[in-house]
Every structure is written in C-alpha cells, then in structure tokens.
C-alpha cells in the first residue's frame, strides 16, 4: 500500500473508540481534530474529511459551508443523518461501514425477543418494587422451534436468521422485495416470501432490519398489526419511523400482539416525557436507546474500519462502501 500523499484535515465529530483514534493518529500527513476540541463546532471552516456516527446530522447547508470537504465517512450502516443527494450534487464522497455491526445488532435482537417472551424486565421491575411474584401466575412464552419473520435480507437480517436457527431450532421466513433472487441461497432453512402479509401471518417473532426510506416509512401500520398473531413479538433494531408508533400502542393495548422490543424509535433517545404514558407504560415493551452496535468489540472494529476507509480514500484507492 502507498502512503498518504498530502496533508488532510480530519475532524472526528462524534466519539470513536480509542483503538480507532490511535490508528488515525498514527497516520502521517494528517491533522486530526478530536471530539472535545472546541474547533469541532467550526469544522466547516477547513475540514477536508469528516468521521461521523449517528449523533451528528450533516445536511445540505453544512455541505455548502464546508467548502474544502471531500469526504464523509460514517461508522455504521445507516446514513439517514447525512443528506446523500446534497453530497452527490456537491461532489462529496460518502462511505459507511456495512456488515460490521451485524453480530452485535443480531445479539440485541435475540436478547430483546427472549426478554419479552420470558417477561424478564417486567418481572425484574415487580421484584424491585417489592411485589411477591407467583410463578404459576407469571408464565412466559417459549421461543423454541417458533417462526421468525425477518424483514430485510441484508447482513444483519442474515445473521439474525442464522442465530435463530442455531439457538431456537426455529423456522425462518424472510421478506425483501429489493434483495436479489440469489440472496440467502446458501441458507437452506429459510423460506422467502414476496408478500409481507404472508410473513406477518406466520411469524411468532417479527424482526425489522431495513433502512429508513420512502418505501419503508410506516411499513408496519394498523393493517399490518391486524395480520399478526396475538402472541407475536415485534422487534425494531433498525430505524425509527418504520413502525407507526400509535398503531403499535393500539395493538399492544388491545392485545393484538404480545410485546415489542424497540431499539429504534421516532424520538431518540427515548424519554419519559415522550413515552412515559404511552409505550413505556405497557409491561410488554422494552426500549433501548439505539444500542444495537454498542459493544466494546464492535465499536473497536467499526471505528477502525472507518479509519481504514479514510486512508484508502486519501491514497486514491477504490472503496466498496462508497455511496456517492
């Protein structure tokens, strides 16, 4: 590999793992501005490259102000916090780090599903409140050999499906109208459907793994909840906005589904002010503040991957995850 040919001014506008920072600072010909430095707020002045996560939104106004900006590298898969069309119009490269978060997001998906099915968080709260929990009157649901419906046949959905078969010996039904016909051909335990309704009617667990787009906005609404089993669990470890939250609340209150695990909501991070009298008031709901990728191991891997992409760009090499 060649060396970085000239000086670049790199702003790390969101927190990155120390391993990624160490690798970045080891590169020659880079000026690196880290989180906590007061200059971060004025990155528009001279940034040539930006390393970002989900905390910072970069819109067209930011891109127009940052006249020296050449590239934005996003740690993680989702790029809905970056105006891709504006970046494309103004010649700014945008890259992400797909595939690296898959294991950690899949782990959280199963953790939420099992916690809801076995009423772990609900029972824990009752014990902490001093209630005597009678076991015979506090039965959960087994997920062993049950059916998972995976919506979105990308990297994360694939790992979720594999873990489900391995851990639960369960059936997998998958829906993704945009995935190629050959997607998941090597996974013999997967039934693919072209109809979302078919998946919803069969699944004991419905797990969302799609980006937020015009096509997926409000994908799960009142009509979709009406198709689901009364003991079904919905998991959203993807993006807020995919689920109609008012319809979800109605479905929960009316007993049309068993519960929901939400790592992605309309309002993030979730708060008592927003959800205290609605979704958080239901015992079958678990909310986490978009922590699917938040393991020590994954933050190190994905941060280093973002730095590697930056270095490739600076050396003039091709990057597979380039989006603009």
């Amino acid at each position: 590999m060649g060396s970085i040919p000239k000086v670049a001014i790199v702003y790390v506008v969101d927190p990155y793992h120390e391993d990624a920072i160490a690798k970045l600072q080891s590169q020659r010909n880079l000026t690196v501005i880290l989180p906590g430095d007061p200059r971060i707020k004025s990155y528009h002045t001279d940034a040539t490259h930006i390393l970002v996560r989900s905390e910072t939104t970069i819109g067209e106004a930011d891109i127009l102000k940052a006249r020296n900006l050449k590239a934005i590298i996003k740690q993680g898969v989702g790029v809905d916090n970056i105006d891709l069309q504006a970046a494309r119009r103004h010649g700014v490269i945008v890259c992400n780090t797909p595939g690296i978060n898959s294991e950690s997001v899949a782990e959280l998906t199963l953790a939420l599903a099992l916690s809801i099915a076995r009423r772990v968080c609900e029972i824990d709260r009752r014990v902490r409140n001093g209630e005597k929990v009678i076991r015979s009157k506090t039965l959960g649901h087994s997920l062993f050999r049950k059916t998972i419906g995976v919506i979105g046949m990308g990297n994360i959905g694939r790992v979720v499906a594999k873990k489900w078969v391995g851990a639960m010996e369960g059936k997998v039904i998958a829906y993704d109208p945009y995935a190629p016909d050959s997607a998941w051909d090597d996974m013999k335990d997967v039934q693919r459907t072209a109809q979302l309704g078919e998946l919803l009617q069969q699944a004991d667990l419905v797990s969302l793994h799609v980006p937020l787009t015009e096509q997926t906005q409000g994908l799960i609404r009142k009509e979709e909840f009406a198709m689901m089993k009364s003991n079904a669990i919905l998991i959203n470890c993807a993006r807020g906005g995919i689920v109609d939250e008012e319809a979800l609340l109605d479905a929960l209150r009316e007993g049309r589904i068993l519960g929901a695990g939400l790592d992605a909501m309309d309002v993030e991070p979730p708060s008592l002010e927003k959800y205290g009298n609605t979704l958080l008031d239901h015992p079958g709901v678990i909310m986490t503040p978009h922590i699917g990728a938040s393991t020590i191991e994954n933050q190190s891997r994905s941060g280093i991957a973002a730095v590697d992409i930056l270095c490739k760009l600076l050396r003039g090499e091709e990057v597979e995850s380039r989006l603009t």
Side-chain angles (χ1 to χ4, degrees), residues 238-261:
R239 284 290 185 269
I242 298 170
V243 177
D244 182 328
E245 292 183 350
E246 290 187 8
L248 170 59
L249 183 61
D250 288 343
L252 288 162
R253 286 176 171 173
E254 295 168 11
R256 283 185 270 127
I257 65 170
L258 179 66

PDB file of all heavy atoms in Angstrom, residues 238-261:
ATOM      1  N   ALA A 238     -33.769  -1.476  13.793  1.00  0.00           N
ATOM      2  CA  ALA A 238     -33.381  -0.848  12.537  1.00  0.00           C
ATOM      3  C   ALA A 238     -33.408   0.672  12.673  1.00  0.00           C
ATOM      4  O   ALA A 238     -32.426   1.282  13.101  1.00  0.00           O
ATOM      5  CB  ALA A 238     -34.301  -1.320  11.413  1.00  0.00           C
ATOM      6  N   ARG A 239     -34.535   1.295  12.342  1.00  0.00           N
ATOM      7  CA  ARG A 239     -34.659   2.743  12.380  1.00  0.00           C
ATOM      8  C   ARG A 239     -36.052   3.136  12.847  1.00  0.00           C
ATOM      9  O   ARG A 239     -37.042   2.456  12.565  1.00  0.00           O
ATOM     10  CB  ARG A 239     -34.419   3.358  10.979  1.00  0.00           C
ATOM     11  CG  ARG A 239     -32.950   3.391  10.558  1.00  0.00           C
ATOM     12  CD  ARG A 239     -32.173   4.405  11.388  1.00  0.00           C
ATOM     13  NE  ARG A 239     -30.791   4.551  10.947  1.00  0.00           N
ATOM     14  CZ  ARG A 239     -29.778   3.863  11.409  1.00  0.00           C
ATOM     15  NH1 ARG A 239     -29.980   2.903  12.306  1.00  0.00           N
ATOM     16  NH2 ARG A 239     -28.536   4.104  10.991  1.00  0.00           N
ATOM     17  N   GLY A 240     -36.138   4.234  13.581  1.00  0.00           N
ATOM     18  CA  GLY A 240     -37.424   4.802  13.917  1.00  0.00           C
ATOM     19  C   GLY A 240     -38.120   5.267  12.659  1.00  0.00           C
ATOM     20  O   GLY A 240     -37.475   5.647  11.683  1.00  0.00           O
ATOM     21  N   GLY A 241     -39.454   5.233  12.681  1.00  0.00           N
ATOM     22  CA  GLY A 241     -40.213   5.652  11.516  1.00  0.00           C
ATOM     23  C   GLY A 241     -40.702   4.487  10.679  1.00  0.00           C
ATOM     24  O   GLY A 241     -41.645   4.631   9.892  1.00  0.00           O
ATOM     25  N   ILE A 242     -40.088   3.327  10.837  1.00  0.00           N
ATOM     26  CA  ILE A 242     -40.533   2.144  10.103  1.00  0.00           C
ATOM     27  C   ILE A 242     -41.838   1.621  10.698  1.00  0.00           C
ATOM     28  O   ILE A 242     -42.692   1.093   9.990  1.00  0.00           O
ATOM     29  CB  ILE A 242     -39.445   1.056  10.125  1.00  0.00           C
ATOM     30  CG1 ILE A 242     -38.181   1.567   9.419  1.00  0.00           C
ATOM     31  CG2 ILE A 242     -39.922  -0.231   9.461  1.00  0.00           C
ATOM     32  CD1 ILE A 242     -36.975   0.674   9.591  1.00  0.00           C
ATOM     33  N   VAL A 243     -41.997   1.808  12.006  1.00  0.00           N
ATOM     34  CA  VAL A 243     -43.198   1.365  12.718  1.00  0.00           C
ATOM     35  C   VAL A 243     -44.053   2.584  13.057  1.00  0.00           C
ATOM     36  O   VAL A 243     -43.543   3.580  13.582  1.00  0.00           O
ATOM     37  CB  VAL A 243     -42.826   0.615  14.007  1.00  0.00           C
ATOM     38  CG1 VAL A 243     -44.080   0.218  14.784  1.00  0.00           C
ATOM     39  CG2 VAL A 243     -41.974  -0.611  13.686  1.00  0.00           C
ATOM     40  N   ASP A 244     -45.330   2.509  12.774  1.00  0.00           N
ATOM     41  CA  ASP A 244     -46.288   3.525  13.209  1.00  0.00           C
ATOM     42  C   ASP A 244     -46.502   3.333  14.708  1.00  0.00           C
ATOM     43  O   ASP A 244     -47.133   2.363  15.134  1.00  0.00           O
ATOM     44  CB  ASP A 244     -47.596   3.351  12.442  1.00  0.00           C
ATOM     45  CG  ASP A 244     -48.646   4.398  12.804  1.00  0.00           C
ATOM     46  OD1 ASP A 244     -48.671   4.854  13.975  1.00  0.00           O
ATOM     47  OD2 ASP A 244     -49.452   4.752  11.933  1.00  0.00           O
ATOM     48  N   GLU A 245     -45.962   4.227  15.515  1.00  0.00           N
ATOM     49  CA  GLU A 245     -45.964   4.026  16.961  1.00  0.00           C
ATOM     50  C   GLU A 245     -47.365   4.117  17.571  1.00  0.00           C
ATOM     51  O   GLU A 245     -47.653   3.447  18.563  1.00  0.00           O
ATOM     52  CB  GLU A 245     -45.008   5.017  17.627  1.00  0.00           C
ATOM     53  CG  GLU A 245     -43.553   4.722  17.285  1.00  0.00           C
ATOM     54  CD  GLU A 245     -42.572   5.629  17.988  1.00  0.00           C
ATOM     55  OE1 GLU A 245     -43.012   6.627  18.611  1.00  0.00           O
ATOM     56  OE2 GLU A 245     -41.351   5.361  17.923  1.00  0.00           O
ATOM     57  N   GLU A 246     -48.237   4.931  17.009  1.00  0.00           N
ATOM     58  CA  GLU A 246     -49.616   4.986  17.510  1.00  0.00           C
ATOM     59  C   GLU A 246     -50.333   3.669  17.239  1.00  0.00           C
ATOM     60  O   GLU A 246     -51.067   3.160  18.091  1.00  0.00           O
ATOM     61  CB  GLU A 246     -50.364   6.144  16.865  1.00  0.00           C
ATOM     62  CG  GLU A 246     -49.905   7.518  17.324  1.00  0.00           C
ATOM     63  CD  GLU A 246     -50.787   8.625  16.794  1.00  0.00           C
ATOM     64  OE1 GLU A 246     -51.848   8.314  16.199  1.00  0.00           O
ATOM     65  OE2 GLU A 246     -50.428   9.804  16.974  1.00  0.00           O
ATOM     66  N   ALA A 247     -50.118   3.114  16.068  1.00  0.00           N
ATOM     67  CA  ALA A 247     -50.719   1.818  15.739  1.00  0.00           C
ATOM     68  C   ALA A 247     -50.144   0.710  16.621  1.00  0.00           C
ATOM     69  O   ALA A 247     -50.869  -0.202  17.039  1.00  0.00           O
ATOM     70  CB  ALA A 247     -50.496   1.497  14.258  1.00  0.00           C
ATOM     71  N   LEU A 248     -48.846   0.793  16.906  1.00  0.00           N
ATOM     72  CA  LEU A 248     -48.224  -0.191  17.803  1.00  0.00           C
ATOM     73  C   LEU A 248     -48.841  -0.118  19.190  1.00  0.00           C
ATOM     74  O   LEU A 248     -49.172  -1.149  19.793  1.00  0.00           O
ATOM     75  CB  LEU A 248     -46.713   0.062  17.889  1.00  0.00           C
ATOM     76  CG  LEU A 248     -45.954  -0.717  18.961  1.00  0.00           C
ATOM     77  CD1 LEU A 248     -46.093  -2.220  18.764  1.00  0.00           C
ATOM     78  CD2 LEU A 248     -44.475  -0.317  18.971  1.00  0.00           C
ATOM     79  N   LEU A 249     -49.015   1.079  19.710  1.00  0.00           N
ATOM     80  CA  LEU A 249     -49.601   1.237  21.041  1.00  0.00           C
ATOM     81  C   LEU A 249     -51.017   0.675  21.078  1.00  0.00           C
ATOM     82  O   LEU A 249     -51.396  -0.023  22.033  1.00  0.00           O
ATOM     83  CB  LEU A 249     -49.592   2.709  21.442  1.00  0.00           C
ATOM     84  CG  LEU A 249     -50.119   3.028  22.846  1.00  0.00           C
ATOM     85  CD1 LEU A 249     -49.284   2.329  23.913  1.00  0.00           C
ATOM     86  CD2 LEU A 249     -50.118   4.539  23.072  1.00  0.00           C
ATOM     87  N   ASP A 250     -51.800   0.956  20.055  1.00  0.00           N
ATOM     88  CA  ASP A 250     -53.166   0.421  19.993  1.00  0.00           C
ATOM     89  C   ASP A 250     -53.140  -1.102  19.961  1.00  0.00           C
ATOM     90  O   ASP A 250     -53.933  -1.763  20.653  1.00  0.00           O
ATOM     91  CB  ASP A 250     -53.885   0.944  18.751  1.00  0.00           C
ATOM     92  CG  ASP A 250     -54.251   2.421  18.852  1.00  0.00           C
ATOM     93  OD1 ASP A 250     -54.251   2.957  19.977  1.00  0.00           O
ATOM     94  OD2 ASP A 250     -54.510   3.029  17.794  1.00  0.00           O
ATOM     95  N   ALA A 251     -52.233  -1.676  19.176  1.00  0.00           N
ATOM     96  CA  ALA A 251     -52.148  -3.134  19.071  1.00  0.00           C
ATOM     97  C   ALA A 251     -51.785  -3.762  20.410  1.00  0.00           C
ATOM     98  O   ALA A 251     -52.319  -4.809  20.789  1.00  0.00           O
ATOM     99  CB  ALA A 251     -51.126  -3.522  18.004  1.00  0.00           C
ATOM    100  N   LEU A 252     -50.878  -3.130  21.135  1.00  0.00           N
ATOM    101  CA  LEU A 252     -50.483  -3.642  22.446  1.00  0.00           C
ATOM    102  C   LEU A 252     -51.634  -3.541  23.448  1.00  0.00           C
ATOM    103  O   LEU A 252     -51.933  -4.492  24.182  1.00  0.00           O
ATOM    104  CB  LEU A 252     -49.273  -2.862  22.957  1.00  0.00           C
ATOM    105  CG  LEU A 252     -47.942  -3.151  22.256  1.00  0.00           C
ATOM    106  CD1 LEU A 252     -46.945  -2.039  22.531  1.00  0.00           C
ATOM    107  CD2 LEU A 252     -47.380  -4.493  22.710  1.00  0.00           C
ATOM    108  N   ARG A 253     -52.271  -2.394  23.503  1.00  0.00           N
ATOM    109  CA  ARG A 253     -53.354  -2.178  24.471  1.00  0.00           C
ATOM    110  C   ARG A 253     -54.553  -3.068  24.200  1.00  0.00           C
ATOM    111  O   ARG A 253     -55.255  -3.480  25.126  1.00  0.00           O
ATOM    112  CB  ARG A 253     -53.770  -0.709  24.445  1.00  0.00           C
ATOM    113  CG  ARG A 253     -52.763   0.215  25.125  1.00  0.00           C
ATOM    114  CD  ARG A 253     -53.157   1.670  24.997  1.00  0.00           C
ATOM    115  NE  ARG A 253     -52.313   2.534  25.831  1.00  0.00           N
ATOM    116  CZ  ARG A 253     -52.354   3.872  25.810  1.00  0.00           C
ATOM    117  NH1 ARG A 253     -53.189   4.496  24.976  1.00  0.00           N
ATOM    118  NH2 ARG A 253     -51.571   4.570  26.600  1.00  0.00           N
ATOM    119  N   GLU A 254     -54.780  -3.380  22.923  1.00  0.00           N
ATOM    120  CA  GLU A 254     -55.923  -4.216  22.555  1.00  0.00           C
ATOM    121  C   GLU A 254     -55.568  -5.701  22.549  1.00  0.00           C
ATOM    122  O   GLU A 254     -56.421  -6.534  22.233  1.00  0.00           O
ATOM    123  CB  GLU A 254     -56.447  -3.787  21.188  1.00  0.00           C
ATOM    124  CG  GLU A 254     -57.021  -2.365  21.198  1.00  0.00           C
ATOM    125  CD  GLU A 254     -57.284  -1.815  19.804  1.00  0.00           C
ATOM    126  OE1 GLU A 254     -57.226  -2.618  18.832  1.00  0.00           O
ATOM    127  OE2 GLU A 254     -57.535  -0.602  19.678  1.00  0.00           O
ATOM    128  N   GLY A 255     -54.324  -6.042  22.902  1.00  0.00           N
ATOM    129  CA  GLY A 255     -53.912  -7.438  22.972  1.00  0.00           C
ATOM    130  C   GLY A 255     -53.791  -8.109  21.622  1.00  0.00           C
ATOM    131  O   GLY A 255     -53.843  -9.341  21.529  1.00  0.00           O
ATOM    132  N   ARG A 256     -53.557  -7.317  20.560  1.00  0.00           N
ATOM    133  CA  ARG A 256     -53.412  -7.895  19.230  1.00  0.00           C
ATOM    134  C   ARG A 256     -52.018  -8.452  18.988  1.00  0.00           C
ATOM    135  O   ARG A 256     -51.822  -9.244  18.068  1.00  0.00           O
ATOM    136  CB  ARG A 256     -53.787  -6.863  18.161  1.00  0.00           C
ATOM    137  CG  ARG A 256     -55.303  -6.704  18.028  1.00  0.00           C
ATOM    138  CD  ARG A 256     -55.680  -5.778  16.890  1.00  0.00           C
ATOM    139  NE  ARG A 256     -55.761  -4.403  17.363  1.00  0.00           N
ATOM    140  CZ  ARG A 256     -55.126  -3.377  16.819  1.00  0.00           C
ATOM    141  NH1 ARG A 256     -54.311  -3.586  15.792  1.00  0.00           N
ATOM    142  NH2 ARG A 256     -55.272  -2.166  17.285  1.00  0.00           N
ATOM    143  N   ILE A 257     -51.029  -8.020  19.780  1.00  0.00           N
ATOM    144  CA  ILE A 257     -49.703  -8.637  19.789  1.00  0.00           C
ATOM    145  C   ILE A 257     -49.252  -8.748  21.241  1.00  0.00           C
ATOM    146  O   ILE A 257     -49.798  -8.071  22.134  1.00  0.00           O
ATOM    147  CB  ILE A 257     -48.671  -7.851  18.952  1.00  0.00           C
ATOM    148  CG1 ILE A 257     -48.395  -6.468  19.557  1.00  0.00           C
ATOM    149  CG2 ILE A 257     -49.104  -7.751  17.507  1.00  0.00           C
ATOM    150  CD1 ILE A 257     -47.211  -5.759  18.909  1.00  0.00           C
ATOM    151  N   LEU A 258     -48.225  -9.567  21.465  1.00  0.00           N
ATOM    152  CA  LEU A 258     -47.759  -9.819  22.827  1.00  0.00           C
ATOM    153  C   LEU A 258     -46.875  -8.695  23.357  1.00  0.00           C
ATOM    154  O   LEU A 258     -47.013  -8.266  24.505  1.00  0.00           O
ATOM    155  CB  LEU A 258     -46.995 -11.141  22.876  1.00  0.00           C
ATOM    156  CG  LEU A 258     -46.409 -11.542  24.236  1.00  0.00           C
ATOM    157  CD1 LEU A 258     -47.526 -11.824  25.234  1.00  0.00           C
ATOM    158  CD2 LEU A 258     -45.509 -12.769  24.085  1.00  0.00           C
ATOM    159  N   GLY A 259     -45.928  -8.233  22.546  1.00  0.00           N
ATOM    160  CA  GLY A 259     -44.985  -7.240  23.044  1.00  0.00           C
ATOM    161  C   GLY A 259     -44.114  -6.694  21.932  1.00  0.00           C
ATOM    162  O   GLY A 259     -44.198  -7.124  20.780  1.00  0.00           O
ATOM    163  N   ALA A 260     -43.273  -5.733  22.314  1.00  0.00           N
ATOM    164  CA  ALA A 260     -42.387  -5.099  21.337  1.00  0.00           C
ATOM    165  C   ALA A 260     -41.074  -4.724  22.000  1.00  0.00           C
ATOM    166  O   ALA A 260     -41.046  -4.194  23.112  1.00  0.00           O
ATOM    167  CB  ALA A 260     -43.047  -3.849  20.750  1.00  0.00           C
ATOM    168  N   GLY A 261     -39.984  -5.006  21.279  1.00  0.00           N
ATOM    169  CA  GLY A 261     -38.652  -4.577  21.694  1.00  0.00           C
ATOM    170  C   GLY A 261     -38.168  -3.524  20.723  1.00  0.00           C
ATOM    171  O   GLY A 261     -38.035  -3.791  19.529  1.00  0.00           O
TER     172      GLY A 261
END
